[in-house]
Amino acid sequence: MPLYTADALVLRTYKLGEADRIVVFLTRDRGKKRGVAKSARRTRSRFAGALEPLTEVQVAYFEKQGRELVGLNYAEPVRSPLLACGGNDALGYVGYFAELLDEWAQDADADERLYRLGASMLDAFGAGVPLEPLARYFECWLLRLQGVYPEAQGTLSAAAREFLAVSRTLPPHRVGEVAIEHRALEELRSTHRALITMHLEKTLKSERVLRDLRRHA
């Protein structure tokens, strides 16, 4: 079995057996992968601190032809959202971004633009970018990369259209420099949520988490 090494973003994990985890991760050069991290749930696991959502890692994995799951050899954290941001609100958005990437990334289909978008969120968290504008930025770019953002935006207000236009010229860590009213952010949130729900044909689990956070803000 060949051994591959790659830059990757952890998207999600779930339990396997008594001590292992299935890890879903997005590589820069080979698309989305699913792998088994042996003994990842043990206290002294070699994967400790490396498997949180949206953590950027260096991974090594074995892949056998015809098998869906790869075997993770190691995952070394490079950047962690747990260090870049603080508070439950920020972690809610970390989960939201990771779930959106997971839903749209294709198995074994490399899309470096999608990887760069996810990794750039870590820069934005570290820069302290306000979370709601950052989420609208992320949604817009994700939908555009997938070819499902309508070019005609005549139904949006002038303030919302201006935010989108300026955001297309800035990296995410500078989104906080763009002035936008709460009303325009809510307008974009509603528009993006409708587009995401229509194309995924379901409501995201993390969207419900964010709704609860907004309710208690």
Side-chain angles (χ1 to χ4, degrees):
M1 292 185 292
L3 175 67
Y4 297 97
T5 59
D7 299 325
L9 292 170
V10 176
L11 301 182
R12 67 186 175 107
T13 69
Y14 47 96
K15 296 177 181 179
L16 177 67
E18 294 184 358
D20 304 337
R21 282 196 180 278
I22 300 292
V23 183
V24 183
F25 58 99
L26 178 64
T27 68
R28 184 189 294 272
D29 59 346
R30 302 188 75 232
K32 187 168 71 174
K33 300 288 182 180
R34 292 176 174 83
V36 178
K38 292 286 188 181
S39 301
R41 290 160 54 203
R42 298 195 186 280
T43 304
R44 296 185 178 181
S45 167
R46 66 183 184 276
F47 297 105
L51 301 182
E52 296 299 326
L54 218 61
T55 300
E56 188 171 27
V57 293
Q58 282 274 326
V59 296
Y61 60 93
F62 294 95
E63 188 166 20
K64 187 173 183 178
Q65 188 173 5
R67 289 193 178 180
E68 179 182 355
L69 295 175
V70 304
L72 274 172
N73 189 30
Y74 69 77
E76 293 291 338
V78 177
R79 292 189 295 170
S80 169
L82 297 180
L83 299 177
C85 60
N88 291 333
D89 287 5
L91 294 180
Y93 284 89
V94 167
Y96 178 59
F97 297 157
E99 187 176 7
L100 280 172
L101 289 171
D102 185 25
E103 289 292 342
W104 254 295
Q106 300 298 308
D107 292 343
D109 183 14
D111 187 342
E112 187 175 1
R113 299 175 306 167
L114 198 60
Y115 180 92
R116 291 202 310 266
L117 177 63
S120 69
M121 292 300 103
L122 294 170
D123 297 327
F125 284 130
V129 175
L131 296 171
E132 280 293 309
L134 181 62
R136 305 296 80 82
Y137 176 100
F138 181 88
E139 293 160 349
C140 176
W141 273 102
L142 180 67
L143 291 164
R144 289 186 67 217
L145 290 177
Q146 302 308 306
V148 296
Y149 205 103
E151 290 300 320
Q153 300 168 2
T155 58
L156 293 176
S157 66
R161 292 198 305 271
E162 183 178 358
F163 175 82
L164 294 178
V166 176
S167 294
R168 291 182 180 185
T169 68
L170 293 177
H173 67 270
R174 294 184 57 193
V175 171
E177 301 172 13
V178 184
I180 182 171
E181 298 176 351
H182 177 74
R183 182 182 299 178
L185 281 175
E186 285 296 299
E187 180 185 1
L188 288 172
R189 183 176 67 83
S190 177
T191 299
H192 293 172
R193 183 180 59 200
L195 286 169
I196 290 168
T197 301
M198 178 178 66
H199 287 280
L200 295 182
E201 299 183 342
K202 65 178 182 179
T203 300
L204 299 176
K205 293 180 180 178
S206 54
E207 170 59 30
R208 293 194 290 269
V209 172
L210 292 183
R211 187 165 57 243
D212 290 341
L213 289 173
R214 285 191 293 266
R215 186 179 299 121
H216 293 98

